[in-house]
Amino acid sequence: MIRAAAAVAILLGTFYFVRREIEPLHCNTIVKQQEAAALPALDSGPLVNPQTIALRARTNLDVINAAIRTCPREVGLYMVAAVNYRLIQRPQDAIRMYEAALTYDRRPEIYLQLGNTHAEAGNRDAALANLLLALRFRPEYLADVNSPQLQLTLSAEPYLSRWLRKTGPVTPP
Amino acid sequence: MTGTGEAEAPRDKCLRPQMESPAERIEPEPATGSLLFNKWLWGVILVGQLSIPLFISLQGKETFRFPKEVALRTQAILLIGLALAGAAKGVYAPRLDFRSPSVFLPLAIVGWTAIATLLSTNRTLSTYALSTVVLTALTFIIMSSLAASHSLGSLTWLLIPAALTSVFGALQFWNVWRPFQLPDNTGKIAITALLGGSTDVAVFLLMPSLVAISLAIAANGTKRIVYTILFLLLSFGIVICQNRTVLLAFVTGLVALSLIASPRKALAGLLAAICLTALVLFTFKPVRSRLNDGLQRFENREYNAVLSLRLTAFMAAWSMFKERPIAGMGPDTFHWHYFPYNLALTERYPELLRNDWPENFAEVHNDHLQILAEAGVGGYLLFVTVIIWFAQPSLSRALPAHGFDRSGQRRRFLRLFSLPFAASFFVLALAQFPLRLSATVNSLLFLAALRAAWWRTGD
């Protein structure tokens, strides 16, 4: 009787851990859905009602933050969370999300967006430091620097000047 | 014993137990309840072999590799839970000999990974990797505890998904059926099967192809024809993927197999391999183009391009190893460290590492260097030890290789398969990352478990 009870308890525990193990698949789906929703909104400019964007962003953030608690290792969740925070003019929260992403992976895209977000928050030195890291890896990212003033400052870097002489001027986003 | 390895029937039945070799010792049958439970547990393993390579998530951002990682860990948790429940109920009682390499090695790997995790430069990442290693080691131990009572037919469950993958890859290659709405790619770029890319497909097909050819040699009659056809199908899948490293590993495996199967005919086998390689190189245009392109780049000293732009990753991994040679940077930390190492190396060697569109590598594309970088010398010694352990049946003098003993079919298969597998895996790991691909890891675990169960130490 005790053995049977132990076996049942172990099986229940197994199915609990199996369910927990499958949850990252759902987080993987959320990342894809949120990227499809958030990125066009970031680029939409003045054509879409800002209040509509903000409302959608807040709804998205509820879903994303719940997913982050379940799947803290999913870097894509931090990236889409940061995009949504930027949409509702909360750059400090976006910076927090990008820095959390950096604990799991260090990619040039993260440094690029972190630099752009620091620029939006008015942190010029931090913006330059992060953008330089991204541009040292791939100078083509110069076209993705949102601030024209920072783009001009970065163009003066020696290796970027050489690269620009070879490829020509970049088009601002 | 006759020269062919077949045992003579003893005239006196009383002598039979004494003439029985250790290899033929019959394990006492477990009780009925445990027999049924063991069969169920083995069924879970076989379903995993069949389904994990084919498991994808169409709604997810990462469609191919990540779902298989989840499936592999889920399989492990399910097996461990069922085994514990069976042990609690008294229907599962594996006999574990902790002195046996098949128990000692996985525990040593877990132990070293734990040490490397404690000393890791990013414990958050390494802790998850440690949990994966623990799950994988326990999966192997459970698999090997059950495999002893199963026949060569178990390998069919490895060959079925490989055959399906090869067929699917061929249909994509020839633009007959492309269900994933890919852009208008042609040739090898169009190949994903259900694994993700031509590299994943080629790496996955390598081991089953060697299994098929070994079975074809070990079998007779209709089975030999079936396994030969399977081998040709899987070889075709490898060739159309046009992966140089996998092709080299494939040829290495075949050459080693010819040495084992018939040392006298090995020279003929080697010549056949060279002719086959030359035939593929000079008649299959995509492979010939890649070869010509590589030679041209080598002449122009574009070494990074010759190595498919992976030289930076190799040098970064070596730099990480030099910085922490004993325990490495920590399990699963290469991708986290790669970015700053890449910047430092490309600025130090701009011409050597010249690359118009640099890639932020998540893997080294060389499992030897990856293990050195992440787990140091200790981890690499364990890696090499496992490869040598796997090759041991082919090098053993217990039974002649060319004999055919009906009751020793499994051992004959291992004699043929083990060294070719080990040699081809060693070569494959020089420029690919089979240990990072869950479908391939699942196959490797299964093959290693069969090797452990079907060839006891000292037999």
Side-chain angles (χ1 to χ4, degrees):
Chain A
M1 185 69 184
I2 294 173
R3 281 189 161 201
V8 169
I10 290 169
L11 281 174
L12 287 173
T14 301
F15 287 119
Y16 166 74
F17 282 109
V18 164
R19 190 159 172 261
R20 272 193 61 176
E21 198 60 42
I22 293 172
E23 276 166 359
L25 282 176
H26 181 58
C27 295
N28 191 28
T29 305
I30 291 174
V31 170
K32 184 175 178 180
Q33 290 169 348
Q34 293 295 330
E35 280 183 357
L39 293 176
L42 196 62
D43 293 334
S44 63
L47 298 176
V48 180
N49 186 343
Q51 285 179 340
T52 308
I53 292 176
L55 187 63
R56 281 190 202 151
R58 288 193 179 88
T59 309
N60 291 341
L61 280 166
D62 289 338
V63 172
I64 296 166
N65 285 325
I68 287 175
R69 284 191 290 275
T70 311
C71 313
R73 297 178 62 253
E74 178 57 69
V75 174
L77 289 173
Y78 298 102
M79 300 294 283
V80 291
V83 168
N84 282 281
Y85 277 124
R86 289 166 73 183
L87 286 171
I88 57 175
Q89 315 301 323
R90 288 169 61 176
Q92 293 302 327
D93 289 317
I95 289 168
R96 182 170 53 84
M97 286 290 128
Y98 285 128
E99 288 175 349
L102 286 173
T103 57
Y104 294 100
D105 201 4
R106 292 192 282 200
R107 299 179 210 156
E109 306 88 71
I110 301 178
Y111 288 108
L112 172 67
Q113 296 306 331
L114 182 55
N116 279 334
T117 310
H118 272 298
E120 289 166 16
N123 308 328
R124 182 186 159 85
D125 291 341
L128 277 171
N130 284 288
L131 288 170
L132 269 174
L133 278 174
L135 291 167
R136 279 169 65 193
F137 183 84
R138 195 172 284 161
E140 288 85 354
Y141 280 152
L142 190 62
D144 297 313
V145 175
N146 291 341
S147 163
Q149 290 88 4
L150 284 178
Q151 215 179 61
L152 201 61
T153 306
L154 288 163
S155 301
E157 288 290 320
Y159 70 95
L160 283 171
S161 303
R162 285 194 297 272
W163 178 78
L164 283 168
R165 277 198 294 273
K166 269 199 299 185
T167 60
V170 297
T171 310
Chain B
M1 300 281 282
T2 65
T4 59
E6 292 182 347
E8 288 183 349
R11 289 174 189 167
D12 185 353
K13 289 182 185 176
C14 295
L15 289 176
R16 191 171 295 161
Q18 290 173 357
M19 288 191 64
E20 189 180 68
S21 72
E24 309 308 327
R25 183 187 311 124
I26 298 171
E27 295 287 341
E29 286 287 335
T32 308
S34 57
L35 194 64
L36 188 62
F37 182 81
N38 286 358
K39 282 186 177 174
W40 273 102
L41 212 54
W42 187 246
V44 171
I45 291 169
L46 295 182
V47 168
Q49 286 302 309
L50 187 64
S51 58
I52 287 175
L54 307 176
F55 184 61
I56 62 173
S57 169
L58 288 172
Q59 286 88 21
K61 178 177 167 62
E62 173 49 67
T63 305
F64 297 105
R65 286 186 192 171
F66 180 68
K68 293 176 179 58
E69 282 176 32
V70 171
L72 188 66
R73 287 174 59 100
T74 305
Q75 175 193 245
I77 292 170
L78 198 56
L79 278 176
I80 293 163
L82 288 171
L84 286 173
K89 192 73 175 66
V91 292
Y92 176 67
R95 287 186 211 90
L96 297 178
D97 180 4
F98 289 91
R99 294 165 301 175
S100 165
S102 57
V103 177
F104 173 77
L105 278 176
L107 293 180
I109 290 168
V110 169
W112 185 259
T113 309
I115 292 169
T117 300
L118 278 173
L119 301 172
S120 174
T121 53
N122 187 328
R123 256 186 229 163
T124 309
L125 293 175
S126 294
T127 305
Y128 185 80
L130 174 62
S131 70
T132 303
V133 169
V134 170
L135 291 173
T136 308
L138 290 174
T139 301
F140 166 76
I141 290 173
I142 294 169
M143 281 183 179
S144 59
S145 73
L146 297 167
S149 53
H150 295 278
S151 68
L152 283 179
S154 304
L155 290 163
T156 310
W157 293 76
L158 188 77
L159 295 176
I160 292 172
L164 290 171
T165 298
S166 192
V167 169
F168 197 164
L171 292 174
Q172 289 176 311
F173 180 73
W174 282 314
N175 201 13
V176 172
W177 185 47
R178 289 183 182 176
F180 295 118
Q181 304 298 323
L182 291 171
D184 193 22
N185 293 326
T186 56
K188 76 164 203 164
I189 300 173
I191 299 173
T192 64
L194 294 175
L195 290 165
S198 59
T199 298
D200 300 62
V201 170
V203 170
F204 175 67
L205 290 178
L206 178 63
M207 299 307 151
S209 68
L210 294 176
V211 167
I213 186 66
S214 301
L215 285 171
I217 296 171
N220 53 11
T222 315
K223 282 185 183 175
R224 174 169 281 187
I225 297 170
V226 170
Y227 289 131
T228 305
I229 292 171
L230 272 172
F231 166 70
L232 292 172
L233 176 63
L234 300 180
S235 307
F236 180 72
I238 290 172
V239 168
I240 59 173
C241 289
Q242 301 162 46
N243 187 293
R244 290 172 295 179
T245 310
V246 176
L247 285 169
L248 183 62
F250 183 56
V251 170
T252 304
L254 291 180
V255 169
L257 183 62
S258 66
L259 283 168
I260 299 293
S262 178
R264 288 179 200 164
K265 294 178 186 172
L267 183 59
L270 184 62
L271 287 172
I274 292 171
C275 291
L276 182 67
T277 306
L279 187 69
V280 169
L281 284 174
F282 291 108
T283 60
F284 193 40
K285 192 178 172 187
V287 174
R288 193 172 73 240
S289 299
R290 286 202 71 194
L291 177 67
N292 290 337
D293 188 50
L295 290 171
Q296 182 72 33
R297 289 182 187 275
F298 189 81
E299 282 173 11
N300 295 340
R301 297 188 178 183
E302 296 175 35
Y303 302 125
N304 200 10
V306 172
L307 293 171
S308 304
L309 306 174
R310 291 166 190 170
L311 185 57
T312 320
F314 294 170
M315 290 175 68
W318 185 249
S319 300
M320 291 180 206
F321 167 64
K322 282 197 302 182
E323 194 171 317
R324 291 167 66 113
I326 307 297
M329 304 298 268
D332 197 29
T333 55
F334 171 80
H335 66 94
W336 189 69
H337 282 293
Y338 179 68
F339 181 67
Y341 275 82
N342 175 291
L343 293 181
L345 285 167
T346 49
E347 284 170 10
R348 192 172 168 189
Y349 305 103
E351 282 307 308
L352 178 64
L353 301 176
R354 188 174 66 227
N355 183 354
D356 292 334
W357 193 256
E359 188 178 335
N360 197 52
F361 285 105
E363 294 91 16
V364 183
H365 287 69
N366 179 322
D367 270 349
H368 297 267
L369 286 173
Q370 182 123 20
I371 291 171
L372 280 170
E374 294 185 345
V377 168
Y380 189 70
L381 285 174
L382 284 168
F383 174 66
V384 172
T385 304
V386 169
I387 293 176
I388 294 171
W389 167 80
F390 203 104
Q392 188 260 336
S394 292
L395 306 171
S396 169
R397 292 178 184 275
L399 281 175
H402 55 274
F404 183 75
D405 181 350
R406 191 173 167 187
S407 64
Q409 282 183 358
R410 302 183 314 187
R411 291 170 63 82
R412 173 163 166 73
F413 164 76
L414 283 179
R415 280 297 300 266
L416 289 166
F417 174 71
S418 299
L419 180 63
F421 166 84
S424 65
F425 183 80
F426 187 91
V427 170
L428 179 70
L430 287 172
Q432 286 298 338
F433 45 102
L435 295 178
R436 309 284 297 185
L437 301 174
S438 300
T440 305
V441 168
N442 196 36
S443 302
L444 292 173
L445 279 177
F446 189 63
L447 290 168
L450 296 181
R451 179 261 178 262
W454 292 352
W455 192 282
R456 299 284 178 207
T457 303
D459 286 346

